[in-house]
Amino acid sequence: MTAADPALDVDLGFTVGLGMPFEEAVVWAADEGFDHVELLLDGPYARERIEDRADAMRETLSVAGREIVVHLPFAVDPGVPFTPVREGAVAELTAGMDLAADLGAERVVFHPSSDAWGLGWEPDETRAFVHESLDELVPAARERGLEPCLENVVSSYYDATTFPELLERYPDAAMTFDTSHALLAGLDEAGQAAFCREHAGRIAHLHLVDTRGDDDEHLPVGMGRIDFGTILAGLADVGWSGTATLEVGTEDYDTIALGGRHVEVLLAEVG
């Protein structure tokens, strides 16, 4: 599902649901024309549960001719205030990067955020904890041949409205731009298009996520209220290329395919 027009070159994939068998999902991705799958290292796909399957999983991808993007576990908090716990979080996220490299990934997604108790820790303190971890994690990814794609999230010190500060602080990091997270942080579609035009050179990966209301519903494109045409047009204006994942909360293949077809139509319209 690669856009034909060079103005917007998008390799499209979808998230592997926690209940989806990996080989089945990859084979289906190839049959349906998706370029990659995105794997969250949590639940049944947690690193410790699958690292002994890495060779077989990489072979599955190779035979199917598909790529993989790895999403590190978002419940592992790089901004936790307690030093031994934070060091453990960095160790687990780094181990996840090792597995991502073993799987043949080129990009790894993770959250530059903190779940620290707001009544107990000042924002500047917690932001410093996030920075302390990123100071290790960003170069760790590069050392493993991975592009570290920091994601804008809603409840963090770096949502879409403040993310440029993070990009400036970490010139070796790239960005995962999440449409639903940006909307819920107060950036409407026109604002998202402007953000994407301005920072296209730093955005390597997209999470194309739709929503109907004020929650992060993880709907496929076309099933909520987000005007993706406006956002994608902003990227097309600057000739963006990269990967995009339908980060969906469904394991129904037909629903995922419908979201993919909506994206294809939009890409043709803005191309």
Side-chain angles (χ1 to χ4, degrees):
M1 290 189 175
T2 302
D5 195 295
L8 190 57
D9 184 11
V10 178
D11 289 340
L12 186 63
F14 64 93
T15 51
V16 177
L18 298 183
M20 299 169 75
F22 185 77
E23 182 173 357
E24 176 187 277
V26 171
V27 170
W28 182 83
D31 291 342
E32 190 64 28
F34 284 97
D35 300 293
H36 69 268
V37 296
E38 183 165 327
L39 186 68
L40 172 65
L41 301 186
D42 209 338
Y45 289 112
R47 175 192 60 81
E48 290 179 299
R49 289 177 165 177
I50 66 168
E51 58 187 352
D52 61 345
R53 296 167 48 197
D55 290 344
M57 293 169 72
R58 184 167 184 162
E59 178 67 12
T60 293
L61 292 161
S62 177
V63 170
R66 301 302 97 177
E67 302 295 329
I68 187 170
V69 175
V70 169
H71 195 313
L72 300 180
F74 53 80
V76 177
D77 184 356
V80 62
F82 308 103
T83 300
V85 182
R86 189 170 61 256
E87 291 173 347
V90 170
E92 178 58 36
L93 294 171
T94 303
M97 292 179 186
D98 287 330
L99 177 57
D102 288 344
L103 290 171
E106 295 182 358
R107 289 175 176 146
V108 63
V109 178
F110 55 102
H111 293 181
S113 59
S114 174
D115 295 322
W117 186 36
L119 293 178
W121 303 90
E122 294 295 328
D124 287 346
E125 291 180 294
T126 314
R127 191 177 289 108
F129 297 141
V130 174
H131 293 163
E132 184 176 317
S133 293
L134 293 180
D135 288 347
E136 296 186 52
L137 292 170
V138 170
R142 290 295 183 184
E143 289 165 6
R144 289 157 176 79
L146 298 165
E147 190 166 29
C149 298
L150 308 179
E151 181 178 353
N152 60 296
V153 292
V154 181
S155 299
S156 84
Y157 297 97
Y158 293 108
D159 62 17
T161 64
T162 56
F163 215 86
E165 300 173 20
L166 195 67
L167 294 176
E168 182 176 358
R169 184 181 179 92
Y170 294 99
D172 288 338
M175 181 182 185
T176 295
F177 184 81
D178 185 296
T179 55
S180 177
H181 291 168
L183 184 74
L184 297 176
L187 210 61
D188 65 11
E189 291 89 341
Q192 292 188 47
F195 182 101
C196 289
R197 279 192 295 269
E198 182 176 357
H199 301 289
R202 300 295 302 278
I203 298 171
H205 186 54
L206 304 174
H207 278 169
L208 299 178
V209 188
D210 214 341
T211 185
R212 294 167 297 181
D214 296 326
D215 294 313
D216 190 22
E217 295 182 291
H218 288 273
L219 299 177
V221 171
M223 300 181 190
R225 66 184 177 96
I226 295 180
D227 174 11
F228 286 91
T230 295
I231 300 168
L232 292 173
L235 289 165
D237 287 344
V238 291
W240 185 81
S241 64
T243 49
T245 292
L246 299 175
E247 195 187 34
V248 293
T250 180
E251 297 176 2
D252 182 78
Y253 287 117
D254 290 340
T255 304
I256 296 169
L258 181 59
R261 289 194 290 273
H262 283 152
V263 173
E264 283 191 308
V265 170
L266 290 168
L267 291 175
E269 290 176 349
V270 301

